[in-house]
Amino acid sequence: MQNLFRLLPPVDAVLAALGDTASLAVLPRAMVRDAVTDFLDGLRSDIRAGRLTDPAQLDHALLFSQCGRAVIAATRPHFRRVINATGVVVHTNLGRSLLAPEAATAAAEACLRYSNLEFDLATGERGSRYSHVVDILRTLTGAEDALVVNNNAAAVLITLETLAKGREVVVSRGQLVEIGGSFRIPEIMAKSGAILREVGATNRTHPRDYENAVTADTAALLKVHTSNYRIVGFTKEVSLAELVAIGRRCNLPVIEDLGSGNLTDFTSCNLPGEPTVQQAVADGADVVTFSGDKVLGGPQAGIIVGRAEYIAAIRKNPLNRAIRIDKMTLAALEATLRLYRDPTLARTAIPTLAMITAAPPALAKKARKLATILKKTLAGSYAVTTLPGASRVGGGAFPERDLPTTLVALSPLPGAPSPHTLRERLLATEPPLIARTQDAALLLDVRTLADDELHLVAAVLAQALEA
Ligand SMILES: *Cc1c(COP(=O)(O)O)cnc(C)c1O
């Protein structure tokens, strides 16, 4: 054992040997040194545990190449690109919406150059950061005024805090939603200082339930879009228009948390049932809140539109400073919203919209193309076939709607790693690929694969098989 320890090269010798590796030369020295030390420590514990017993395994040329790979893997940025082969378009764990190139460029420019973030170029004086998106949001939604904050959870929080702190807000029991990542209406309500006044039953709420709940303590009526679930069967929901009528009679503002906040009507794509922001405004909602990075397809943001008096009050709330939107987001958001001025352009230029509305024949064609590429890479190890399947919008939108797609299925031939093992190995490729398994096959959904990722999918599968 002592002899084996003596065969280990010193850290400096390894560093010198790795000196020519171009991808390591750009890294901070301390980072590379730590990774080399960890690699050698790993070998020491292998020797101690009796896992490494053959001196041939400590051949320096072999060690240097193994160490080079280990150092590259260990020094990769923690936050990095992955390939999404799940078919879930707005995948919260994989970064929700991808930005349109126009939006990414605008964000990069906002980072690399000074900007008129809070500077009024008309007067040469201090300006408002919100001014950049107010007009376009008014035009797109029909609302009187608009405000943007960090995300929709913050939008709901500040709206309730401003309009209803210490007073009651009436909500249907069927709408006390929990969104992934611990956003729950009752808890946000409590944090805002507003008092939740639940009405109706889980499956049925009537207009009279709201009317009977209104007292001198009532501050607002709230409608929450049940984004990620549907109540089906014997049900009754009060429509926004009905709620607005009650609000008007009782002189109370009506707030709607739309969640996803579509600006696009997807009915023509066979995706009915999701209200648009424009419709909520037209139906008379006084304040509407929604996300920037769900089906809207922009950056993470919370958008609040509605009546000028309420938006002005929310804007002045000191809490607004704590949940303030940053300049990169604002730049990306404005660029995304500009694309919506031409709805046809929006559907092709905004990746989230393009992926949701992708035509089934185009997906079938892309799947066949991927299958042809993979048949070459995986010859002898996996049978590659295409089959009909279903993708999801994700992000809590269109919860029970399947989008028809074509999947590429990889079924192992004798001797090949199981789909489960392959799926795990794909988490360690560069870049990692996220896919699902079903019925003894690994499934790749082309809906969420960009055209220029098909050859990359083949390359990472080859990496996974070498592992
Ligand atoms: C997603 C969602 C939220 C939270 O929005 P974020 O932008 O994720 O903060 C709030 N309400 C509803 C109904 C949602 O669907």
Side-chain angles (χ1 to χ4, degrees):
M1 200 185 275
Q2 287 312 314
N3 287 338
L4 288 174
F5 282 129
R6 245 174 265 131
L7 290 175
L8 288 175
V11 173
D12 287 319
V14 183
L15 285 173
L18 297 183
D20 294 337
T21 313
S23 58
L24 297 180
V26 295
L27 293 172
R29 283 305 273 173
M31 216 180 221
V32 179
R33 176 176 281 273
D34 286 354
V36 169
T37 308
D38 287 348
F39 176 80
L40 293 174
D41 284 348
L43 292 178
R44 278 190 200 94
S45 47
D46 284 349
I47 295 171
R48 226 174 283 123
R51 284 189 296 266
L52 199 165
T53 51
D54 181 0
Q57 286 175 274
L58 297 178
D59 169 66
H60 281 192
L62 179 72
L63 280 193
F64 293 156
S65 79
Q66 282 174 353
C67 185
R69 282 198 297 276
V71 171
I72 288 170
T75 54
R76 278 199 282 253
H78 199 274
F79 186 80
R80 54 205 169 99
R81 171 205 186 153
V82 304
I83 302 172
N84 176 5
T86 65
V88 180
V89 179
V90 184
H91 196 306
T92 297
N93 304 136
L94 304 184
R96 283 199 183 165
S97 281
L98 305 184
L99 292 182
E102 291 84 346
T105 304
E109 173 109 337
C111 299
L112 296 169
R113 304 291 182 184
Y114 289 110
S115 57
N116 62 341
L117 179 64
E118 289 187 357
F119 189 82
D120 186 341
L121 290 170
T123 62
E125 291 180 11
R126 193 191 166 140
S128 154
R129 68 174 59 216
Y130 307 109
S131 65
H132 308 294
V133 289
V134 168
D135 284 345
I136 195 156
L137 279 170
R138 289 174 52 201
T139 308
L140 290 172
T141 66
E144 286 174 14
D145 200 359
L147 177 66
V148 283
V149 295
N150 186 43
N151 59 19
N152 187 34
V156 175
L157 177 71
I158 194 171
T159 300
L160 293 171
E161 217 267 354
T162 311
L163 303 186
K165 187 176 182 179
R167 298 176 63 205
E168 290 188 355
V169 175
V170 187
V171 193
S172 160
R173 287 206 166 82
Q175 297 172 0
L176 298 177
V177 306
E178 172 179 318
I179 312 293
S182 72
F183 173 91
R184 285 172 153 186
I185 287 294
E187 289 169 12
I188 284 281
M189 184 87 74
K191 277 286 169 209
S192 76
I195 299 154
L196 174 63
R197 181 80 165 83
E198 299 173 35
V199 295
T202 304
N203 58 331
R204 288 173 73 83
T205 305
H206 304 274
R208 63 173 184 275
D209 293 324
Y210 288 91
E211 279 163 347
N212 293 343
V214 171
T215 67
D217 273 345
T218 309
L221 309 178
L222 173 66
K223 184 170 167 73
V224 183
H225 185 52
T226 55
S227 308
N228 50 6
Y229 67 100
R230 286 271 184 279
I231 296 176
V232 294
F234 184 54
T235 64
K236 165 84 174 90
E237 216 189 34
V238 175
S239 72
L240 178 62
E242 287 175 291
L243 203 58
V244 166
I246 300 168
R248 296 283 182 279
R249 272 203 300 283
C250 305
N251 204 16
L252 290 170
V254 173
I255 304 166
E256 178 158 40
D257 173 16
L258 266 184
S260 196
N262 304 334
L263 293 174
T264 311
D265 182 3
F266 289 102
T267 330
S268 64
C269 314
N270 212 9
L271 275 172
E274 291 279 314
T276 61
V277 180
Q278 301 87 301
Q279 191 59 51
V281 171
D283 283 350
D286 296 287
V287 180
V288 182
T289 74
F290 52 101
S291 283
D293 58 346
K294 287 184 177 171
V295 175
L296 196 143
Q300 179 190 307
I303 304 172
I304 312 174
V305 300
R307 291 208 192 285
E309 58 178 302
Y310 298 122
I311 301 294
I314 298 168
R315 191 183 290 121
K316 277 197 223 102
N317 186 332
L319 190 58
N320 189 24
R321 181 62 182 79
I323 57 173
R324 171 165 102 169
I325 192 160
D326 79 289
K327 63 179 178 180
M328 293 179 263
T329 310
L330 260 178
L333 185 61
E334 187 191 7
T336 306
L337 294 172
R338 285 167 66 93
L339 295 169
Y340 274 99
R341 291 305 310 277
D342 178 347
T344 318
L345 177 66
R347 281 194 191 194
T348 51
I350 297 175
T352 298
L353 295 189
M355 286 189 263
I356 293 172
T357 61
L363 293 168
K365 192 171 163 209
K366 204 201 278 192
R368 284 194 301 272
K369 187 171 169 197
L370 178 62
T372 305
I373 297 169
L374 296 188
K375 272 180 190 153
K376 287 197 203 104
T377 314
L378 301 176
S381 41
Y382 289 84
V384 181
T385 50
T386 60
L387 72 158
S391 336
R392 285 282 159 125
V393 173
F398 305 99
E400 84 287 37
R401 286 258 166 204
D402 287 339
L403 306 176
T405 190
T406 304
L407 304 168
V408 176
L410 311 182
S411 315
L413 298 173
S418 73
H420 185 77
T421 305
L422 183 61
R423 191 172 134 238
E424 277 185 359
R425 285 195 194 171
L426 286 165
L427 300 180
T429 55
E430 184 53 34
L433 180 147
I434 321 295
R436 57 195 158 109
T437 54
Q438 193 190 308
D439 298 337
L442 184 91
L443 300 179
L444 305 170
D445 189 337
V446 292
R447 183 183 298 273
T448 45
L449 295 175
D451 289 331
D452 66 358
E453 284 182 323
L454 301 188
H455 284 281
L456 189 58
V457 170
V460 299
L461 279 163
Q463 281 177 42
L465 290 186
E466 272 167 31

